Amino acid sequence: MKATSFFGGRTDAPMMKRKIGIFGGTFNPPHIGHLFMAEQAYYEFLLDRVVLLPLGDPPHKRGAEILPSDVRLKMLDAMTERSPFLEVSRMETERGGYTYTVETLEQLSRTQGEEYYYIIGADTLFELENWRRFRDVVKLTEFICFMRRGIDRNAVMEKIWQIRDEFGKEVLLSKTVAPGISSTEIRERIRNGEPLKGLVTEAVGKILEEENAFR
């Protein structure tokens, strides 16, 4: 099993800081777009690994139809099985209650020898300042951002420069555009009995079918 409940390693010897990508989300369900972003971030920005971090009880999606955490973890494990540099963390699903990014980053920051790069889409870039204790968040991580279709690139660059100037933090913009796939679309297709080919991996599709999810 690739899932892990903690990050870290030895902290008793000097070393080059490892560059760890963090990809948080509900992953309800995880799809090809998530996999593309995680793998592209790893290769493009020379990360040491990328950790997919499914939310436990997301405060911004109260009342939404969210699969149990064990099912979402099972799908993430299956989706990342062939990518040895991708890991799945149970850190937030095991915490209980509502989970916030700042609390996770504070927990991670206790481990020396690693620097973190939070992976987001360009739409999220404009929402960062609404995150709980955002000023603490930007003290603890850099960001890797993916363009999305329909979002103005000039507006994205202006926002990146604003964050750099105001907080002194780096926002690395990927040269690629994130696939236009959403978990919402997948849930709707399942309800309508439509195929999921090209949207989720075969392994994830099999689990969705076995769980009779979103029907």
Side-chain angles (χ1 to χ4, degrees), residues 75 196 200-212:
M75 290 189 291
L196 302 181
V200 300
T201 65
E202 183 177 346
V204 168
K206 184 177 180 180
I207 295 170
L208 287 169
E209 190 171 327
E210 291 172 349
E211 297 288 338
N212 199 31

Side-chain angles (χ1 to χ4, degrees), residues 163-178:
I163 293 173
R164 287 173 176 170
D165 291 344
E166 187 171 349
F167 301 102
K169 301 299 291 190
E170 187 58 82
V171 180
L172 304 173
L173 184 62
S174 174
K175 62 185 179 184
T176 61
V177 177

Side-chain angles (χ1 to χ4, degrees), residues 20-172:
I20 309 300
I22 303 175
F23 194 179
T26 312
F27 300 110
N28 188 50
H31 53 68
I32 294 294
H34 295 135
L35 185 60
F36 172 87
M37 290 171 66
E39 291 185 337
Q40 178 65 26
Y42 172 82
Y43 286 113
E44 183 176 351
F45 298 105
L46 304 179
L47 303 179
D48 290 287
R49 57 183 165 143
V50 175
V51 180
L52 287 83
L53 191 66
L55 300 175
D57 194 355
H60 60 296
K61 295 189 178 182
R62 297 173 188 176
E65 183 184 6
I66 299 176
L67 293 174
S69 60
D70 62 326
V71 177
R72 290 182 286 124
L73 284 163
K74 182 179 179 181
M75 290 189 291
L76 283 169
D77 282 338
M79 186 178 76
T80 60
E81 187 69 34
R82 297 182 181 180
S83 298
F85 50 84
L86 299 184
E87 297 181 11
V88 181
S89 172
R90 284 179 165 80
M91 180 179 292
E92 293 197 348
T93 57
E94 291 181 342
R95 185 180 296 152
Y98 295 125
T99 56
Y100 296 94
T101 300
V102 65
E103 295 165 354
T104 298
L105 289 171
E106 286 176 335
Q107 185 175 345
L108 294 177
S109 68
R110 301 188 189 112
T111 302
Q112 300 176 16
E114 295 181 343
E115 56 185 9
Y116 302 104
Y117 294 79
Y118 208 92
I119 300 168
I120 59 174
D123 50 337
T124 302
L125 182 68
F126 296 95
E127 301 170 359
L128 285 178
E129 289 166 78
N130 296 324
W131 286 15
R132 183 183 181 90
R133 292 170 52 201
F134 169 68
R135 290 184 177 274
D136 291 325
V137 170
V138 296
K139 292 177 183 177
L140 298 167
T141 187
E142 312 286 348
F143 294 93
I144 291 173
C145 180
F146 283 82
M147 285 296 300
R148 292 196 185 278
R149 292 180 177 84
I151 296 182
D152 182 70
R153 187 179 183 86
N154 290 332
V156 169
M157 292 306 303
E158 287 180 10
K159 191 65 179 178
I160 287 174
W161 282 110
Q162 176 194 332
I163 293 173
R164 287 173 176 170
D165 291 344
E166 187 171 349
F167 301 102
K169 301 299 291 190
E170 187 58 82
V171 180
L172 304 173

